[in-house]
Amino acid sequence: MIDSIESLRGLYAEPTERARRKQLPRLDEHCLRFIGLSPFVVLASGSAEGQYDASPRGGEPGFVKAPDPQTLLIPDASGNNRLDTLQNVIATGRVGLLFLIPGVDETLRVNGRARLDRAPGLMAHFAGERRPPKLVIEVKVEDAYLHCAKAFMRARLWDPASRVERSALPTMGQMIGDQIGVPAAAVETQEQMVARYRAEL
């Protein structure tokens, strides 16, 4: 078992100067451009009891707004109403973000302090949306850095040859039905689910 920082560090070389120095205390022009092109972010948070959650968030490219180099505004779009992330933000006030751009193997990581708000000045950033959010997650950036392409290159995530047909898995309705014991006759089809989701977007 690896149970100390010393034993862990002994397995790896020291990070390069470039790896150390790329961590920024604010969003620079490259980070802002990356966010402006990103239609997808994974939002990681944790509860006061140490339970962790990673939630996907999506929208049109640039749906996460950056009114200044120290601030990000994430609209809370409709979801499953579990509110795991939002409750975690209330409990700990901290989040980690991973921004993705389709076709780009690099990612952008941002960490910071977060709060939930409905102030008119913040909500105004999303006034033109078809479904304005109920609230905004405001993130005060503490560090930001571009992450190398190695993981995406290994996964060949954007390579068309890596694409998995949806039919490789049962429908979402079938999988959840099996998990919670819904009779097969009552299971929503994939087409019904997609139509319902589109109506709620």
Side-chain angles (χ1 to χ4, degrees), residues 26-41 59-74 97-101 107-111 139 141 143-146:
R26 68 189 64 81
L27 304 170
D28 72 350
E29 61 180 304
H30 302 297
C31 296
L32 292 168
R33 177 67 173 152
F34 201 104
I35 293 164
L37 292 172
S38 175
F40 188 86
V41 63
E60 293 296 319
F63 78 101
V64 175
K65 309 300 183 189
D68 63 67
Q70 214 73 52
T71 307
L72 289 173
L73 304 176
I74 306 170
L97 307 173
L98 181 69
F99 287 92
L100 283 73
I101 300 173
T107 56
L108 173 67
R109 295 170 62 169
V110 179
N111 299 307
V139 180
V141 175
D143 57 78
Y145 54 99
L146 293 163

Side-chain angles (χ1 to χ4, degrees), residues 74-109:
I74 306 170
D76 188 58
S78 61
N80 58 21
N81 293 322
R82 285 178 51 107
L83 309 185
D84 298 311
T85 298
L86 304 184
Q87 292 177 123
N88 287 344
V89 168
I90 289 172
T92 66
R94 302 200 66 82
V95 296
L97 307 173
L98 181 69
F99 287 92
L100 283 73
I101 300 173
V104 175
D105 285 341
E106 291 78 16
T107 56
L108 173 67
R109 295 170 62 169

Side-chain angles (χ1 to χ4, degrees), residues 110-161:
V110 179
N111 299 307
R113 301 202 63 82
R115 65 178 185 142
L116 310 181
D117 208 329
R118 285 179 49 81
L122 299 181
M123 300 296 285
H125 288 275
F126 307 98
E129 300 292 328
R130 188 169 72 89
R131 290 181 182 267
K134 292 183 179 179
L135 57 83
V136 172
I137 304 170
E138 181 186 52
V139 180
K140 289 299 182 181
V141 175
E142 294 182 335
D143 57 78
Y145 54 99
L146 293 163
H147 196 96
C148 77
K150 291 176 185 174
F152 278 58
M153 290 171 67
R154 290 185 186 113
R156 297 185 300 127
L157 191 66
W158 309 124
D159 184 343

